[in-house]
Amino acid sequence: MEIRLLSNRTGILVTPEPQPVNGKVSFTFSGEEADAVCIGERFYPIENGWATVGTADLDGTVPLTVYRFSDRARLRCPSLFFFRHGGEQWVGPAPEDTAARLGLLEAEWQESFAALIGRVAALEERVRKRPISFGGKHEEK
């Protein structure tokens, strides 16, 4: 499963479809830097953007939180839902977190849009015509 970590200290599940797990599930993390993930009550290290989590004792809705130790940041992520179907264990986003996930996607879009507006304003400033100056003096009309 892929989790994108945002600068507003939240995370979103990029792969929202449930997936079968075979005793463990691997997570990839993109976006902000992170050091560990806590699923349920256990911590797992994140190394090179990857973490592998044992799922044998996980069932039902389980909270997921990501930590960055350098600045003591806690990044809140949607909860996971572990269930059994057809004799296999599956994991997906918790149904109650669907609305929260959409809100986080909107927050990420607004963050990206605000950065784009700032970049456009900076580019407009660079290309704005300035009056020609003779001898260091000019008059603007």
Side-chain angles (χ1 to χ4, degrees), residues 9-10 14 17 20 22 49 56 70 72 74 92 97-98 111 116:
R9 293 189 177 192
T10 58
V14 177
E17 299 82 22
N22 195 15
S70 60
R72 296 182 179 188
R74 182 176 72 166
D97 281 344
T98 302
E111 183 179 300
L116 183 60

Side-chain angles (χ1 to χ4, degrees), residues 102-128:
L102 293 175
L104 292 174
L105 285 172
E106 179 185 11
E108 180 183 28
W109 177 83
Q110 288 177 348
E111 183 179 300
S112 297
F113 188 70
L116 183 60
I117 287 175
R119 187 171 178 199
V120 168
L123 290 172
E124 284 177 344
E125 179 65 29
R126 289 180 62 190
V127 297
R128 183 176 295 153

Side-chain angles (χ1 to χ4, degrees), residues 23 39-42 44 53-60 62 82 84 89:
I39 296 180
E41 297 176 353
R42 293 190 178 160
Y44 301 88
V53 175
T55 62
D57 59 340
L58 297 175
D59 190 39
V62 178
F82 290 87
R84 296 218 173 260
Q89 185 182 32

Side-chain angles (χ1 to χ4, degrees), residues 12-137:
I12 58 171
L13 290 170
V14 177
T15 51
E17 299 82 22
Q19 299 176 358
V21 294
N22 195 15
K24 59 184 169 183
V25 63
S26 293
F27 292 93
T28 59
F29 297 89
S30 61
E32 295 290 308
E33 293 291 320
D35 299 310
V37 60
C38 181
I39 296 180
E41 297 176 353
R42 293 190 178 160
F43 282 82
Y44 301 88
I46 298 173
E47 297 172 348
N48 298 322
W50 284 85
T52 301
V53 175
T55 62
D57 59 340
L58 297 175
D59 190 39
T61 301
V62 178
L64 183 147
T65 308
V66 176
Y67 292 87
R68 182 175 52 240
F69 300 133
S70 60
D71 62 350
R72 296 182 179 188
R74 182 176 72 166
L75 294 87
R76 305 187 117 239
C77 300
S79 296
L80 299 175
F81 185 68
F82 290 87
F83 61 98
R84 296 218 173 260
H85 179 71
E88 289 184 309
Q89 185 182 32
W90 290 68
V91 63
E96 59 270 17
D97 281 344
T98 302
R101 181 179 179 275
L102 293 175
L104 292 174
L105 285 172
E106 179 185 11
E108 180 183 28
W109 177 83
Q110 288 177 348
E111 183 179 300
S112 297
F113 188 70
L116 183 60
I117 287 175
R119 187 171 178 199
V120 168
L123 290 172
E124 284 177 344
E125 179 65 29
R126 289 180 62 190
V127 297
R128 183 176 295 153
K129 292 184 179 181
R130 301 197 187 272
I132 297 174
S133 175
F134 297 101
K137 296 182 181 179

